[in-house]
Amino acid sequence: MDRKLAPDSDTNKLWFYLDYEQLPEVRKGGSVDNFMLKLLETMGYASGRFIVFGRPLHLITCGKKFLARMDTGICDKNGRYLLLVQKARRGKNPEPRLIAETIAAYQRNDFVRETKLHLPILNEITFPGITHVGAVPTFYKIKVTAELNDAAVKGTFPSSQAVVYRHTPQLPNGNRKGMNTLDNRAKILQYYQAFKPFIQDSST
């Protein structure tokens, strides 16, 4: 993709990070974080919100406190999490980490509601999430309920199943090519645009 054809400077930077992320020598580095930052900014995900990187989330499970370190997230002005993004590391499936992070985000959001905003905790929160294996995203809606959180805290099984919706785009030139082709890039950006309305601010 010729960056000289970019309609504005933000799109030019996005295309730069996208091309950079495809280089074999940097595929295992931090370029995905740079690309994710520009992608979320350019597509309006961060409008009136804050993008955070590598922030530790306290996760209480089995009666102990652990750290769940996310890759990328979007927060509101009060520090409540609205979106979590996790990339694959060393070939491992990023989905289990993303789900653990959503439970930690639920605990964090409830803590903010109680201690900072003086609001009652929510019985359930549905978190949008994204995982990346290479340049190919999978989009999630993960419902965390008070029951699921209590089970995680106590280290027991919840009485009802956790609900996780996910969708991996089937790209025109094949998922193995990632964003190496123009058609694949266009399709992935269409999915990001369609997913944006699921990022809802916590107004109460």
Side-chain angles (χ1 to χ4, degrees):
M1 188 177 291
D2 188 351
R3 289 194 288 117
K4 295 179 181 179
L5 301 178
D8 51 56
S9 61
D10 284 338
T11 304
N12 184 285
K13 290 180 181 179
L14 173 62
W15 289 358
F16 167 80
Y17 285 119
L18 194 155
D19 288 334
Y20 184 69
E21 193 273 333
Q22 300 302 312
L23 297 175
E25 61 268 28
V26 297
R27 288 293 294 272
K28 297 182 180 180
S31 58
V32 173
D33 293 335
N34 293 326
F35 169 63
M36 186 58 58
L37 170 63
K38 294 310 302 180
L39 176 62
L40 295 176
E41 285 183 341
T42 302
M43 302 201 72
Y45 274 69
S47 178
R49 307 167 184 139
F50 300 92
I51 301 175
V52 293
F53 289 99
R55 179 174 291 184
L57 281 169
H58 293 287
L59 172 64
I60 301 175
T61 182
C62 300
K64 298 181 180 179
K65 182 180 290 187
F66 298 89
L67 285 180
R69 188 174 298 276
M70 64 176 183
D71 284 334
T72 308
I74 291 180
C75 295
D76 67 9
K77 64 182 180 180
N78 294 307
R80 289 175 292 182
Y81 286 89
L82 310 175
L83 171 71
L84 300 169
V85 183
Q86 181 66 46
K87 64 185 178 184
R89 298 179 182 276
R90 300 183 181 87
K92 295 182 179 179
N93 181 4
E95 184 174 290
R97 288 192 61 178
L98 177 67
I99 293 174
E101 288 162 8
T102 59
I103 297 175
Y106 177 91
Q107 295 175 2
R108 166 65 183 177
N109 288 6
D110 272 354
F111 175 80
V112 171
R113 288 179 64 87
E114 282 191 297
T115 62
K116 184 176 181 179
L117 302 177
H118 307 293
L119 295 171
I121 63 174
L122 297 175
N123 188 54
E124 65 179 47
I125 303 175
T126 298
F127 289 93
I130 303 171
T131 60
H132 265 263
V133 178
V136 179
T138 295
F139 299 91
Y140 293 81
K141 289 172 60 181
I142 304 171
K143 181 188 292 187
V144 181
T145 64
E147 178 192 0
L148 176 61
N149 179 61
D150 289 343
V153 170
K154 298 174 183 176
T156 60
F157 286 100
S159 59
S160 57
Q161 292 183 335
V163 178
V164 177
Y165 297 97
R166 69 178 180 183
H167 178 75
T168 303
Q170 298 303 305
L171 303 179
N173 300 127
N175 288 19
R176 289 188 177 183
K177 290 187 178 293
M179 288 195 180
N180 286 320
T181 70
L182 183 59
D183 287 344
N184 280 9
R185 292 182 182 191
K187 179 61 69 175
I188 288 175
L189 293 180
Q190 288 174 8
Y191 269 94
Y192 266 96
Q193 186 64 34
F195 195 64
K196 187 167 63 173
F198 292 106
I199 316 303
Q200 298 180 0
D201 290 321
S202 301
S203 58
T204 58

